[in-house]
Amino acid sequence: MGNTVVRDDFEWVYTEQPHCSRRKQILAKHPEIKSLMGSDPQLKWVVTAMVLTQVLCCFLVQALSWKWLLFWAYMFGGCINHSLTLAIHDISHNVAFGNKSAMLNRLFGIFANLPVGVPYSVSFKKYHVDHHRYLGGHYLDVDIPTRLEARFFNSPARKVLWIILQPLLYALRPLLVNPKPVSQLELLNVVVQLAFDALLVWLWGPKPLVYLIAGSVLCMGLHPVSGHFIAEHYMYLTGIETYSYYGPLNYITFNVGYHMEHHDFPSIPGSRLPEVKKMAPEFYDNLPQHDSWTRVLWDFVFCDSLGPYSRVKRHIPLAKKE
């Protein structure tokens, strides 16, 4: 406890990612799970209410002192923004309007992105597809830290800094590991976001924009909700690369804690993932799982067997060579 991380490399495996074969096995025994696939008609209304709540908060915070603005950004606004990033995650799977309305999903993702303060919705979709298709793929799954991160952030103090820097690292890592051409939709995302940010400043001054961006950065860093970033795929047990969490924070995170279920069935909306576990309990009840995202963060920082190297990786033919 408290020493330098003992791992000096990722956990390299030579098997395919497990979720494709699991999906086939589960559907063979429980074909009724297919009824859960499709769009979630409530998602667009929930997200719209969250966006409008943040716009109202932007009006209210202009009268606050900077101290109280940052307090409410961390305690309230940032929680909504973090939740919106997980709504954007759901929207990236086309569950807001269905697969036949992919463009409508992308545009709605741009709308959900507004309170986050920085444009990322369209880019997230572009890379998140690879995370599911090539889970753990060398140079393909940009959810995995770089070697530079793993070598530097290897002590408790540095791991705390790494957690704080998660928003920045998640933004920069794809550009360094697997850069892709910028699409017209990404440019639209940037233009719409900058126009929204400028409108806020023009209407109510800089404080609303600081409230939004500070909330996003703070609550995607050292915050209990951000424990899901580590809980989902960091290897707390050797060889196990995906974990679920069934605690109460799922209520404000679109059930992202049901992560094993999500990777088994990415086309099922987060609101219905608990039903997957109920329909096929024998495939989930006995798997390793987390019971606290706060405990996940604590163990990650202070356990010398855990660190950015604690990820399963695999070479996939499509990946670039070192």
Side-chain angles (χ1 to χ4, degrees):
M1 296 285 286
N3 297 319
T4 300
V5 174
V6 295
R7 292 192 66 92
D8 60 1
D9 200 357
F10 300 103
E11 183 78 6
W12 290 94
V13 299
Y14 301 93
T15 58
E16 293 184 354
Q17 64 127 315
H19 296 285
C20 292
S21 59
R22 280 180 52 84
R23 186 180 307 124
K24 293 177 182 178
Q25 293 170 11
I26 295 170
L27 287 177
K29 191 169 183 180
H30 297 282
E32 67 273 16
I33 286 178
K34 291 181 180 180
S35 66
L36 301 175
M37 299 175 183
S39 62
D40 176 359
Q42 299 301 317
L43 182 60
K44 58 182 176 292
W45 303 118
V46 173
V47 170
T48 299
M50 293 168 71
V51 171
L52 294 178
T53 297
Q54 283 294 68
V55 172
L56 175 61
C57 288
C58 285
F59 171 75
L60 297 175
V61 301
Q62 61 181 321
L64 293 179
S65 67
W66 289 106
K67 175 182 68 176
W68 285 107
L69 182 146
L70 293 175
F71 172 82
W72 287 112
Y74 185 78
M75 297 299 295
F76 181 73
C79 294
I80 294 180
N81 280 3
H82 198 139
S83 186
L84 279 170
T85 67
L86 297 170
I88 290 169
H89 164 257
D90 247 18
I91 296 165
S92 75
H93 289 284
N94 293 333
V95 300
F97 297 98
N99 286 321
K100 293 182 179 179
S101 302
M103 179 59 71
L104 196 55
N105 282 283
R106 299 293 77 73
L107 296 176
F108 189 63
I110 292 174
F111 170 73
N113 193 156
L114 293 177
V116 178
V118 293
Y120 89 101
S121 173
V122 177
S123 298
F124 174 81
K125 160 69 176 177
K126 180 169 66 176
Y127 285 101
H128 192 63
V129 170
D130 290 344
H131 171 63
H132 277 270
R133 186 175 297 161
Y134 309 117
L135 181 64
H138 189 43
Y139 280 121
L140 288 171
D141 185 358
V142 297
D143 186 66
I144 295 178
T146 62
R147 286 191 180 276
L148 179 61
E149 291 174 64
R151 289 169 180 166
F152 181 78
F153 298 104
N154 63 353
S155 69
R158 291 184 181 185
K159 285 190 278 185
V160 169
L161 179 60
W162 183 78
I163 292 171
I164 293 171
L165 293 175
Q166 280 299 291
L168 179 64
L169 295 172
Y170 265 89
L172 294 179
R173 195 183 297 140
L175 305 178
L176 299 174
V177 175
N178 188 18
K180 297 184 178 184
V182 177
S183 69
Q184 291 184 339
L185 267 180
E186 285 176 288
L187 293 177
L188 177 63
N189 195 174
V190 171
V191 170
V192 171
Q193 187 65 57
L194 293 179
F196 176 78
D197 293 349
L199 180 62
L200 287 180
V201 175
W202 180 71
L203 288 173
W204 301 317
K207 284 186 177 180
L209 185 58
V210 173
Y211 163 79
L212 292 179
I213 295 178
S216 297
V217 172
L218 291 172
C219 284
M220 285 190 278
L222 194 60
H223 190 279
V225 177
S226 72
H228 78 86
F229 287 125
I230 296 171
E232 291 164 0
H233 296 293
Y234 282 79
M235 195 176 59
Y236 279 66
L237 293 176
T238 302
I240 307 297
E241 57 188 307
T242 307
Y243 301 79
S244 284
Y245 155 82
Y246 301 119
L249 289 178
N250 279 302
Y251 289 111
I252 61 170
T253 57
F254 295 91
N255 287 324
V256 74
Y258 287 76
H259 216 66
M260 179 66 81
E261 292 85 346
H262 171 62
H263 271 264
D264 287 345
F265 300 100
S267 60
I268 294 179
S271 61
R272 298 180 194 143
L273 289 176
E275 293 300 312
V276 174
K277 186 174 184 295
K278 290 179 182 178
M279 289 181 176
E282 70 274 24
F283 286 94
Y284 297 103
D285 285 352
N286 296 320
L287 294 177
Q289 58 189 252
H290 294 292
D291 57 14
S292 168
W293 282 340
T294 302
R295 180 59 186 268
V296 164
L297 292 172
W298 178 271
D299 288 346
F300 183 83
V301 169
F302 292 108
C303 183
D304 57 15
S305 65
L306 294 170
Y309 266 138
S310 301
R311 289 294 296 263
V312 171
K313 289 194 75 172
R314 48 178 57 85
H315 284 287
I316 295 176
L318 292 178
K320 302 173 185 177
K321 296 181 179 179
E322 281 190 292

